[in-house]
Amino acid sequence: MGAILRETSTGREWHLDEGEIFSVGRGAECDVTLSDPLCGRRHAKIDWRDGAWFVTDHSSNGTLLNGAVVVREEMRSGDVLTLGATQLAFRDDGVPPRAKQQQAWEESMRLPQSFAGLLAVFSSPATAVDAALIAARAGEALLRFCDDPARHDALKDAYRRGLSSPWPVMRAVSAHGIAALSAAGSMGADHAGAAIEELLSDPADYVQHSAARALAKVDPLAAAPRLHERALAALERGREPREARETAAALAELGPSELLDSLRTRAMALAFDARDNGRRAIAAASLGELCAAGDAAAIRPLRALLAEPGEELRVQAARALAHASSASEEAREALRGALSDPSPRVFLTACKGLADRRDPALTAALISTLRATPKRDVERRARLRRALEDVTGERRGPDPDAWLA
């Protein structure tokens, strides 16, 4: 669907066509050019992906969506972007998106559609990074055929070769392929496990991560200690929450209580005592996965993190509690308390965490807050409208006043 950006101070408008990418900034080469010295030369981009519009920040001083700092975030009609001192109102133009046939044609140009074509791409020697990425994507597409016995011999040969590929991304895909073939009964668990275990000492860290998760599907008993090691290592490295979250989730699925207790104890220690807020945020991500698996003891440190002065730390704690909210009333109670947080990011994260429950009291509180918010506070009103959409599952258009009728 097409969209329109309108600069609120001047009324200038730009039409965005579905399926394209638009650069926004003060540089003359940008599709949306802003005369704002506080705006970056190529400040952000706006693109259409998977049926929705997204904004991605490329600046040094940040992009705000409804008052919240974003890196990449979906946009909805009525949202307000802030770049430097410039506000841009975003709304759909009501024109339906292009036909699905166009999307299918574009997809067909990227990869061969036949099984033989996919196999040839995946099995060919990769001589460049681009070739390796294309081959890896072909390998991911080949995973769809793992339930078809007629394809198993060809897939086994391809994935075995892929395990020793010079390209890490192909080795990672091949580990999951071997696990899928084992699940389909084409490879014995012993042989599949032995093949995957070779990647547990791979020089590429994310290949080790993929191998540990693949091994969990083939040989849970052997995988549990490895996943525990990786989960602890993810806490110590302090790189990003995603790795810690995924590893903790994989370990929680296997469920050896002594290993989960060990992970919780270490994550709690870091959440309370680490000086680096990045490591504390990663500890929060791990605790959220344990909460989602039913570990009530992991909720207490997350509630404590919601009172910390660092915004990013509170956001990570709210995300962790949101992930556990479907399994824990205590987590939902903590999220309801986070709705009073002054940070827009914490507020929106808490709202999303409560959105799977239709809570009339929460809806009433949000409407009451919206009613008391002055119309000149456009960003806060847009944020409340979006929260009401998340919590109720309703769409009443871009005008927040529609919720006050």
Side-chain angles (χ1 to χ4, degrees), residues 36 42 60 85 92 175 250 252 270 285 311:
D36 179 354
R42 291 180 66 87
S60 59
D92 296 335
L270 287 174
E311 181 192 42

Side-chain angles (χ1 to χ4, degrees), residues 287-288 291-292 295-296 298-300 302-303 306 317-338 350 353-354:
L287 290 168
C291 288
D295 186 349
I299 294 178
R300 182 176 62 85
L302 293 175
R303 297 190 71 155
L306 288 175
R319 284 178 181 166
L321 287 165
H323 186 60
S325 63
S326 60
S328 169
E329 176 57 35
E330 189 177 354
R332 290 192 292 275
E333 180 185 348
L335 288 173
R336 285 192 284 269
L354 295 166

Side-chain angles (χ1 to χ4, degrees), residues 26-31 33 41:
R26 59 181 171 82
E29 72 278 9
C30 290
D31 302 299
T33 305
R41 188 166 188 82

Side-chain angles (χ1 to χ4, degrees), residues 108-401:
S108 71
M109 296 299 291
R110 297 190 186 112
L111 272 181
Q113 292 302 293
S114 69
F115 177 80
L118 291 169
L119 199 64
V121 172
F122 184 69
S123 302
S124 62
T127 56
V129 173
D130 287 347
L133 293 175
I134 291 170
R137 188 172 175 197
E140 291 173 351
L142 285 169
L143 290 174
R144 297 196 305 265
F145 295 97
C146 285
D147 288 333
D148 184 350
R151 314 283 192 184
H152 285 182
D153 287 342
L155 285 170
K156 276 193 289 187
D157 291 340
Y159 288 137
R160 280 172 173 160
R161 287 195 299 273
L163 290 173
S164 57
S165 166
W167 298 101
V169 69
M170 292 176 70
R171 299 197 297 272
V173 169
S174 297
H176 289 290
I178 293 292
L181 287 173
S182 176
S186 180
M187 293 184 69
D190 290 344
H191 289 92
I196 294 171
E197 278 193 15
E198 294 180 7
L199 295 182
L200 293 173
S201 56
D202 193 278
D205 189 65
Y206 78 88
V207 176
Q208 295 182 31
H209 181 62
S210 292
R213 296 186 67 193
L215 185 62
K217 300 175 183 177
V218 174
D219 188 350
L221 192 61
R226 295 283 193 170
L227 285 169
H228 178 251
E229 290 175 10
R230 294 199 58 75
L232 292 177
L235 290 174
E236 299 300 332
R237 279 194 297 269
R239 291 179 184 169
E240 57 172 295
R242 183 177 63 85
E243 181 186 1
R245 187 162 44 239
E246 290 179 354
T247 311
L251 180 62
E253 288 181 8
L254 302 182
S257 58
E258 66 279 4
L259 297 183
L260 293 177
D261 290 345
S262 168
L263 177 60
R264 183 193 348 104
T265 299
R266 184 56 185 151
M268 288 176 66
L270 287 174
F272 286 123
D273 300 331
R275 296 182 179 180
D276 179 5
N277 277 352
R279 293 181 69 196
R280 299 179 75 191
I282 288 170
S286 293
L287 290 168
E289 291 297 335
L290 297 179
C291 288
D295 186 349
I299 294 178
R300 182 176 62 85
L302 293 175
R303 297 190 71 155
L305 292 179
L306 288 175
E308 289 290 324
E311 181 192 42
E312 186 59 37
L313 189 55
R314 301 200 309 277
V315 169
Q316 290 297 336
R319 284 178 181 166
L321 287 165
H323 186 60
S325 63
S326 60
S328 169
E329 176 57 35
E330 189 177 354
R332 290 192 292 275
E333 180 185 348
L335 288 173
R336 285 192 284 269
L339 292 174
S340 61
D341 193 288
S343 163
R345 296 176 65 203
V346 177
F347 172 83
L348 289 173
T349 302
C351 281
K352 288 180 179 179
L354 295 166
D356 64 332
R357 301 287 176 128
R358 301 296 177 253
D359 186 341
L362 176 58
T363 302
L366 291 171
I367 290 175
S368 177
T369 304
L370 175 61
R371 197 182 303 278
T373 302
K375 289 198 174 185
R376 65 177 178 275
D377 194 346
V378 176
E379 292 182 353
R380 182 170 173 77
R381 285 167 57 82
R383 194 158 61 240
L384 287 164
R385 171 191 60 78
R386 191 167 182 174
L388 282 162
E389 290 178 348
D390 287 335
V391 169
T392 64
E394 296 181 33
R395 300 290 182 268
R396 298 188 184 181
D399 186 0
D401 286 338

Side-chain angles (χ1 to χ4, degrees), residues 7-31:
E7 188 175 0
T8 57
S9 61
T10 65
R12 283 196 303 162
E13 291 188 346
W14 295 266
H15 184 80
L16 311 180
D17 292 322
E18 174 266 327
E20 298 184 16
I21 299 174
F22 299 85
S23 56
V24 185
R26 59 181 171 82
E29 72 278 9
C30 290
D31 302 299

